[in-house]
Amino acid sequence: MTQKKKHVYSLQAFQYGLTNGCSTLTTTLTSTYWSVFMTATVGIETAVMAMILSISSFVDIISVPICGILLQKIKFKSGKFRAWLLIGGIGTGLFRWLSFTDLGMTGMGRAVWYGGTYILCSCLYTVAYSAFTGLLPLMAKDPSERVAYASARTTCNSIGKFLFSLTSVALISIFGQGNDLFGYSALAFLIFLLISAGYFQLFVITKNIDRAEDNTVQTSDGKKADKYDASIWEMVKYTISKPFLLYIISASAKGATFFIVQGLAAYYYTYVVQDKAMLTVYLSASTFLMIGASFVSPYITKFLKNARNSFIVGMAIYGICLGSAFFLGSSPVSFTVLMCLGYIGYAIAHSVEVAVYSTVVDYTQWKTGKDLKPFMMSVFSLTAKIGTTIGNMILGFGLVAVGFVASNVTPEAINGIRILFSGLPAALCVIAVIFMLLFPLTDDRVRSMQAEIAQKEKVSA
């Protein structure tokens, strides 16, 4: 009897990805418009904006392990992760809307308002995203299957960014009717509704996947115990390992690259090229290429044998394109083309990133015997936080260093923006590639570890 060929993608994989396609709207809104909204629309000085971003990012990083501990320790009747989808998802959308809403405050009160709403949004996003990533090992067991889920996530993420790039400028104008403050706020409210819907549908479809009764195991003496039971010290001690540290450094460099490029796009096309229409072209073209590259990532990974190799190749392509844009992109058109092509490499690396990290989670359970999925999948977002922090610091203080002033953009500032936008991110790509080359976990090794874990659980049962 001929065995039915198994498809790379499944409907459930794209339902999983849909949540990320909605949630990416809040990070894209922030990375694309928040600094411009603060400085150009609200009128906050660049140095104050940079300070708000830096403080917010620092608090954001601290929230990651706290969130992980909560997910590991707290029990819900709906499962280990599902309730957090609603708490974090709806909260994220609400405070992102508020962070783009002006209450008419002045001075320190205005800085506290925007800084506070930014921090709360980021912390709640950590909660939602931790639950989202925590579901991946439950929904997809095999490494190749995880790559498909991760690629569906990135494909939907890219589609979300693509739709945002096509519509955001027009929607701000339509909603605002000449009042940019209201336009930004209305767009943020629409995104609030979409994010809430995205997380709710994932909550519904995982009802039979994440169940509270599956979290109880039988010990050798016949007693029942929580399989996720672990002390805070065990969470920290067992999480830190060579594969974990190598991944964190590489993925953080990747994240910083993206947030620098994304955050400076509006500055480059507004003040260097002086053509906002080209910003729409750049955002649309880059995200369109990301959609295609994300979709084919599982096939590329199959050809390259494992997700680690795909990550390395993707970041190498991204770095080469960014470096070429800096050295060879003499005109706005050639510069834009090279920058957009780089997103093919970025999308490949980003698609497999969570699959690569999930191998670290498997490694930890194999090595220590502790199931730390809730805590460790929360820590997955740490790389994005670190990347955002580095990116925000470079974005804020880099603009100060090159002498950027919105009312008087000098030739030195224009050249500095080009360096920050392409040259520096290219160097970060090199760092990402070097550290991932040292990463030791392959798909074959992970399958072997998973088999050993399953055997141990079978014996203990």
Side-chain angles (χ1 to χ4, degrees):
M1 185 176 178
T2 304
Q3 187 176 5
K4 188 176 181 180
K5 185 178 180 181
K6 187 176 181 180
H7 295 289
V8 172
Y9 288 108
S10 65
L11 174 61
Q12 186 170 272
F14 281 105
Q15 288 175 310
Y16 179 75
L18 177 62
T19 300
N20 199 228
C22 294
S23 67
T24 195
L25 297 174
T26 186
T27 55
T28 305
L29 176 67
T30 305
S31 60
T32 305
Y33 291 120
W34 201 71
S35 60
V36 172
F37 170 77
M38 292 282 283
T39 54
T41 305
V42 177
I44 289 180
E45 294 180 2
T46 304
V48 176
M49 180 271 293
M51 186 61 66
I52 291 174
L53 288 174
S54 299
I55 295 173
S56 300
S57 297
F58 177 73
V59 175
D60 198 16
I61 289 176
I62 296 175
S63 73
V64 172
I66 296 173
C67 174
I69 293 169
L70 291 175
L71 263 68
Q72 188 81 33
K73 290 287 190 181
I74 295 178
K75 303 175 185 179
F76 287 107
K77 291 182 179 180
S78 59
K80 197 64 180 175
F81 301 102
R82 294 175 66 241
W84 295 110
L85 294 174
L86 299 184
I87 296 169
I90 295 173
T92 296
L94 175 63
F95 282 98
R96 176 55 64 227
W97 168 47
L98 293 176
S99 70
F100 276 90
T101 301
D102 182 29
L103 298 185
M105 296 180 179
T106 58
M108 182 58 69
R110 183 171 56 175
V112 170
W113 167 255
Y114 285 112
T117 53
Y118 186 95
I119 290 171
L120 288 170
C121 176
S122 297
C123 291
L124 286 162
Y125 182 82
T126 300
V127 171
Y129 195 70
S130 296
F132 171 75
T133 55
L135 284 168
L136 178 63
L138 300 180
M139 300 177 78
K141 303 292 185 182
D142 187 78
S144 60
E145 189 181 8
R146 288 179 185 174
V147 170
Y149 271 70
S151 297
R153 172 186 72 97
T154 309
T155 299
C156 293
N157 182 293
S158 300
I159 292 173
K161 286 184 169 65
F162 181 67
L163 294 175
F164 179 90
S165 66
L166 285 178
T167 62
S168 61
V169 173
L171 287 175
I172 291 169
S173 177
I174 293 170
F175 290 146
Q177 293 293 309
N179 183 346
D180 283 349
L181 279 171
F182 184 79
Y184 280 115
S185 181
L187 176 60
F189 183 75
L190 174 61
I191 289 173
F192 162 41
L193 298 178
L194 292 172
I195 292 172
S196 299
Y199 276 100
F200 180 75
Q201 66 88 28
L202 185 60
F203 174 84
V204 172
I205 69 169
T206 53
K207 180 179 180 180
N208 296 321
I209 295 173
D210 179 23
R211 304 184 304 173
E213 54 265 34
D214 294 336
N215 300 336
T216 301
V217 294
Q218 191 172 20
T219 61
S220 57
D221 58 1
K223 297 181 179 179
K224 291 184 177 181
D226 182 3
K227 72 175 183 178
Y228 293 119
D229 183 48
S231 67
I232 295 176
W233 170 240
E234 286 175 325
M235 293 180 209
V236 176
K237 178 177 67 172
Y238 293 145
T239 295
I240 299 174
S241 63
K242 179 182 176 182
F244 174 80
L245 293 174
L246 289 171
Y247 168 83
I248 287 291
I249 295 172
S250 181
S252 295
K254 166 194 158 289
T257 300
F258 176 78
F259 282 106
I260 292 169
V261 172
Q262 192 78 359
L264 283 166
Y267 286 90
Y268 177 78
Y269 289 103
T270 300
Y271 298 104
V272 178
V273 180
Q274 296 183 358
D275 186 353
K276 288 186 177 181
M278 279 198 72
L279 173 61
T280 300
V281 173
Y282 165 77
L283 292 174
S284 302
S286 59
T287 49
F288 181 77
L289 290 172
M290 283 181 66
I291 293 171
S294 300
F295 185 80
V296 301
S297 288
Y299 304 98
I300 294 173
T301 300
K302 184 177 180 180
F303 176 76
L304 295 174
K305 306 302 183 185
N306 60 70
R308 166 188 170 272
N309 292 344
S310 292
F311 186 95
I312 292 169
V313 170
M315 289 309 296
I317 293 172
Y318 194 29
I320 290 170
C321 289
L322 289 173
S324 299
F326 177 68
F327 289 107
L328 304 177
S330 55
S331 70
V333 173
S334 61
F335 185 88
T336 299
V337 169
L338 289 167
M339 292 291 289
C340 288
L341 289 174
Y343 276 86
I344 295 175
Y346 173 82
I348 294 171
H350 190 61
S351 294
V352 301
E353 183 180 3
V354 68
V356 173
Y357 182 73
S358 68
T359 66
V360 180
V361 179
D362 291 328
Y363 170 83
T364 301
Q365 185 176 359
W366 170 78
K367 188 175 180 63
T368 68
K370 288 285 185 178
D371 193 335
L372 302 177
K373 285 187 187 73
F375 179 77
M376 291 195 69
M377 294 309 288
S378 295
V379 174
F380 171 71
S381 64
L382 184 63
T383 56
K385 306 295 184 182
I386 295 173
T388 303
T389 300
I390 295 172
N392 283 340
M393 290 180 67
I394 292 174
L395 173 62
F397 294 111
L399 289 172
V400 173
V402 301
F404 172 79
V405 179
S407 60
N408 182 27
V409 183
T410 64
E412 291 76 17
I414 289 175
N415 186 56
I417 289 174
R418 284 190 81 255
I419 294 173
L420 294 172
F421 191 35
S422 57
L424 184 57
L428 288 171
C429 287
V430 174
I431 294 174
V433 168
I434 290 173
F435 280 91
M436 190 53 66
L437 283 169
L438 301 173
F439 187 78
L441 301 180
T442 63
D443 286 0
D444 288 339
R445 186 178 178 189
V446 171
R447 290 188 181 98
S448 176
M449 291 188 299
Q450 287 177 336
E452 290 185 36
I453 293 170
Q455 183 62 30
K456 289 178 182 178
E457 290 179 344
K458 184 178 179 180
V459 171
S460 63

